[in-house]
Amino acid sequence: MKIISTLPLSVAAALMLTTSALAQTPGKEGVAAARTTNGVANWTTYNADLKGSRYSPLDQINPDNFKDLEIAWRFKTDILGSRPEYKLESTPLAVDGVIYTTGGTRRAVVALNGATGELLWQYAMHEGKRSAESPRALSGRGLSYWTDGTRRRILYVTIGYRLVSLDADTGRPDPDFGTNGVVDLKTDFDQDLGDLDTGEVGVHSAPAVSGNTIIIGAAFREGFTPKTHNNTKGYVRAFDVRTGKRMWTFHTVPKKGEFGYETWLNNSADVNGNTGVWTQVSVDEDLGLAYLAVESPTSDFFGGKRPGPNLFGNSLVAVDLKTGERRWHFQLIHHEIWDLDNSSAPLLMDVTVDGKPRKVVGLPSKQGFFYVFDRATGVPVWPIKETKVAKGNVPGEWYSPTQPIPSKPPVYARNGVEEKDLIDFTPDMKKKALELTSNYVLGPVYTPPIVSTPEKFGVINNWAQGGTNWPGGSFDPETGIAYVYACGACISSTGLLPPPAGLSDIPLVVGVAGQPVVMIKGPGEGAGADSPAPSTPVGASSGPPRLAVDGLPLVKPPYGTISAIDVNNGTIKWQVAHGETPDFVRNHPVIKAMGGIPRTGQSTYQIGTLVTKGLVIAGENQFTRTEDRPRGAMLRAYDKQSGKEVGAVFMPSTQSGSPMTYMVNGKQYIIVPTSGGNASGEFLAYALPSKR
Amino acid sequence: MKIALPLLIAFGLAGAAVAQDAGKSVWQGIYTSEQADRGAGVYAQRCGACHGAALNGTGEAPPLIGGEFVSHWDTMTVGDLYDRVRTTMPQNDPMSMTREEYADVLAFLLKNNGFPAGSQPMDKRSEVLATIGITAEKPASSGG
């Protein structure tokens, strides 16, 4: 009973109570009644498959009838935690008519009737301080399903970083897995986290389960203002799906004697952390390889404590599924200092390049490059050239003289902010934009961060939340075309300042000249069911002045796009602005005087796409109100070939997680996770009307 | 308030707009300047660490000023916004302030977003605030 012995008694008691309370949930009868093989199509992993496609061949909902979709059922997640959640990011799974998902500020697991949305069972772990202290609170991105034909399991990682295996039929922990169904991921980690409640690590992503193997990544607090460069290391581990026994560990920061250790000068690998895999892991079950999109080392914008290129920071790494041994790697950014960490699940695509069938892996990115490699060898399909980049002048920083730039496909999202990117609806606006930006540094991709001064507050950029973030891309396995959302206007200013005593042991963290340097919080930090965490008294920083001109975004539209990238030939087949033009832009007097502008799309990083036989589907993340409908957001469908919008249906709330689709009793459904503004988390299930 | 100028320009000239059919509008002066001043102090202590002293947002905490914020609450009510703030903020300690303090903070937010002050302080009852509509565009008929 390792797990219990390491926990305070109250938490152990809470765990016991949770288990006993489960006896009162509907349990097996509910799932048994809802389960069916009649007219079903399943969605059994977070990304539809381990290749990351987010593709379903279903075609009942198609270009002709998408516009007729109506809400079939809704499931509100408010009760799955001590308070409502406003950032629901989980993509549900569908297995034989039963929906499984995480939800709520407790990150509870629920089983729902796929035809009606009725709750079948619920499981939640009450973790107390450990969850309150977690760097990754809230409902997370989802869970995983495994079966050997007899046993059926649901696997997920709790807010407090425990891997749990549940019986899919009853929601009860699997007694044969770990300790009473639980593996404490803060232990057996090849590093000592100290206090297990406060030791910094968590994860939002769903486990990758292939055959007998579960692969788990790691995530941390945001890296703008980390407490220490010597943060927890984001090792990737695999566990046996039946027993929970650890199978292997891949050291994303190499230990002494391991390959890549020498890329951290002055033995700095020993004293730096992060470098986790916080996004989804993809797996090629035929090649027996798992693909790890590794994030940046500590910290996001200053790497003076880690001179050198820093393998496997910002690398795509292929490891042996059975042993965790590295087969190949490619570092996409050397010595990363832009918060352009790997954000997207690798897309394992089978395409035809120059007449030859190729098994490739494509990786979307925050920096708008779509990297393509042979996924057996790691050799770029099209040349990726080491290109000289600007050297910065931040004291103590180490700069890579070059960065790899793909020659193909072309950049699909804004990855620098220069004069040509600034708003120019009128000459006066352009003039104001130039005046505003005279207090900043502008530049192309990989313009290095600066120390913030009253003359130059920071570098204006599309880094942390730009391009493609955690929702990643999607693709059509039949055509080899990837569909990728990107934010083109998620801009901010980044400058560096020394932290006040006690905030961090890193010489420079994110700050604005003339303002106090304060701790910046990350996704869901302090917002989970067990918050409040002990709060640290802090002052307030104003942040830099607003990057807006007359109330409009500083940069030109499009603010958000979906691109169809043909990975057979490395071209962008089409690109559309995704999302209604925001009200404050559409209704702006200058825009109105211009007679309006083409749809701009929206500035957000929360958009994931769904691909079906004929459609690319994605919702909007901002509320708008137009002449023909009330305040809300639209779920839009595009023709896969042309990008032409073929239909849109109203959503009372905004998409905040990536949609999925499934079929039960011959009826196709699309579930959209929604939340935002005053709307707390809710899953919306759409289907066609039964009678038309 | 210098910070609110772009919004006034953006929405003040926007011409006819959809006003709430009945009840009050946020354009009618539903808080006092004193209330907003008090709210500034509360905001600095309890909100600014995440949302920024100039309401520009930091990290994951969104801006509480500008067109995107106001659009987000368009056609909702002040009661909706009040209860969203009251029941979820500060994020690590919701419902930890008095109803008066929450109302003061809201007055501060409204002021910064260009909504005019008036002679009566903002009510602290959610059900009363739920009768006051938020419209991003200033109604043509409104005085403020």
Side-chain angles (χ1 to χ4, degrees), chain A residues 425 557-560 577-582 585 597-602:
Chain A
F425 291 130
Y559 306 140
H578 174 68
E580 181 61 69
T581 304
V585 176
I597 52 174
R599 189 183 283 176
T600 61
Q602 301 174 348

Side-chain angles (χ1 to χ4, degrees), chain A residues 532 546 605 625 631 677, chain B residues 56 60 72 74 84 91-92:
Chain A
R546 288 188 67 219
Y605 64 95
R625 175 167 63 104
R631 173 185 178 275
Chain B
N56 286 328
E60 286 274 315
H72 224 69
D74 182 38
R84 171 72 159 90
Q91 201 171 44
N92 69 344

Side-chain angles (χ1 to χ4, degrees), chain A residues 213-227:
Chain A
T213 308
I214 310 169
I215 302 174
I216 304 285
F220 308 93
R221 290 185 57 253
E222 58 66 40
F224 287 45
T225 52
K227 291 171 192 157

Side-chain angles (χ1 to χ4, degrees), chain A residues 315-547:
Chain A
S315 303
L316 179 60
V317 185
V319 299
D320 187 293
L321 184 61
K322 293 281 191 293
T323 65
E325 284 171 25
R326 181 184 57 90
R327 289 288 187 80
W328 62 261
H329 76 278
F330 193 100
Q331 190 172 46
L332 305 174
I333 304 178
H334 311 308
H335 191 81
E336 207 282 327
I337 46 173
W338 296 271
D339 198 17
L340 295 171
D341 52 338
N342 281 331
S343 58
S344 302
L347 308 179
L348 311 188
M349 306 176 65
D350 295 342
V351 295
T352 304
V353 180
D354 296 331
K356 284 162 67 176
R358 299 287 302 267
K359 288 177 181 293
V360 306
V361 49
L363 195 68
S365 66
K366 292 183 177 181
Q367 59 270 29
F369 294 130
F370 188 92
Y371 302 86
V372 187
F373 305 92
D374 182 300
R375 70 173 180 267
T377 64
V379 175
V381 169
W382 295 287
I384 297 179
K385 294 170 190 155
E386 286 293 337
T387 306
K388 196 170 186 310
V389 294
K391 187 180 177 187
N393 57 7
V394 169
E397 184 59 277
W398 186 96
Y399 294 96
S400 173
T402 63
Q403 295 293 352
I405 309 273
S407 56
K408 261 184 161 185
V411 61
Y412 67 91
R414 172 173 285 131
N415 65 5
V417 178
E418 302 175 79
E419 186 180 330
K420 66 179 167 59
D421 296 293
L422 301 178
I423 183 172
D424 62 355
F425 291 130
T426 66
D428 179 58
M429 284 183 173
K430 180 68 181 273
K431 184 162 162 274
K432 285 177 178 167
L434 287 170
E435 281 167 14
L436 191 159
T437 55
S438 66
N439 280 332
Y440 300 85
V441 169
L442 301 180
V445 65
Y446 303 134
T447 296
I450 60 168
V451 173
S452 186
T453 66
E455 293 75 36
K456 298 282 183 189
F457 292 127
V459 180
I460 293 180
N461 61 80
N462 200 36
W463 296 340
Q465 299 182 343
T468 307
N469 209 297
W470 63 264
S474 57
F475 68 89
D476 181 343
E478 294 180 12
T479 62
I481 294 171
Y483 301 93
V484 187
Y485 172 84
C487 184
C490 289
I491 62 167
S492 55
S493 160
T494 305
L496 299 171
L497 284 178
L503 188 110
S504 176
D505 63 11
I506 298 175
L508 291 164
V509 297
V510 170
V512 182
Q515 297 176 27
V517 173
V518 299
M519 191 70 87
I520 296 173
K521 287 183 177 171
E525 190 179 349
D530 289 311
S531 294
S535 58
T536 319
V538 285
S541 165
S542 308
R546 288 188 67 219
L547 298 176

